[in-house]
Amino acid sequence: MKLVKKYLPFAVGIFILGGAFYPFHISYEWIGLVILFLIIILLFELIEETRVKRIKRWNLSVPGLLSHSLKFILFFGLPVAVIIIYLIHDKAQLIYSILFILVPLILIFGWIGYLDWQYCNKLYLQEKYKINAR
């Protein structure tokens, strides 16, 4: 409920803005992309909230950088890219969808996974060695 209260004004603003531009051909693709954008925001909020739990599991074994980045690519980047390509498949050719949607999203989510691994590793090492760094 806290997330709904936090992001509800943002979602309402997007839909009001979309309603204002409705005569300019707001389509199902646009609505789907807006909903996907809101889902991505909530997904990153979930990733932030579960970071402490994921770090506690690192006591057993620290995952490798490549495997952590691949998890982000496979579980977040690839599904988002496939959903976007599906939403716009009538208006875009497959090769351009792959070049300009799939490849950049894979790179972006790989980078996000890399940054998440760095931050989790930093917090894990601080907790392991009892360092109070800022």
Side-chain angles (χ1 to χ4, degrees):
M1 195 61 165
K2 187 170 101 175
L3 288 176
V4 173
K5 287 181 183 179
K6 185 175 180 180
Y7 292 110
L8 186 63
F10 178 68
V12 170
I14 286 177
F15 283 111
I16 288 173
L17 185 63
F21 291 110
Y22 182 73
F24 299 116
H25 186 66
I26 299 297
S27 61
Y28 291 113
E29 293 90 2
W30 186 87
I31 294 170
L33 290 174
V34 168
I35 291 171
L36 181 67
F37 182 71
L38 293 173
I39 290 171
I40 290 171
I41 290 172
L42 294 175
L43 181 72
F44 281 116
E45 190 76 28
L46 178 71
I47 290 170
E48 286 292 322
E49 287 178 1
T50 61
R51 182 172 283 147
V52 174
K53 291 179 186 175
R54 288 184 287 134
I55 292 172
K56 287 181 181 177
R57 284 186 289 188
W58 281 25
N59 288 332
L60 302 174
S61 67
V62 177
L65 173 64
L66 184 62
S67 67
H68 195 78
S69 295
L70 281 175
K71 286 178 188 175
F72 269 78
I73 290 170
L74 291 176
F75 296 128
F76 302 126
L78 197 58
V80 168
V82 168
I83 291 170
I84 291 173
I85 290 171
Y86 176 75
L87 286 172
I88 64 167
H89 76 278
D90 290 337
K91 298 183 181 193
Q93 294 179 4
L94 183 61
I95 187 72
Y96 293 127
S97 296
I98 290 171
L99 284 174
F100 297 113
I101 295 172
L102 183 69
V103 173
L105 280 177
I106 285 175
L107 293 174
I108 288 169
F109 276 91
W111 182 254
I112 291 170
Y114 168 72
L115 293 176
D116 185 63
W117 182 86
Q118 277 187 330
Y119 190 70
C120 286
N121 194 36
K122 176 184 168 187
L123 292 178
Y124 169 71
L125 292 175
Q126 284 177 358
E127 183 180 316
K128 182 178 179 181
Y129 296 113
K130 307 294 187 230
I131 298 173
N132 292 329
R134 292 183 217 180

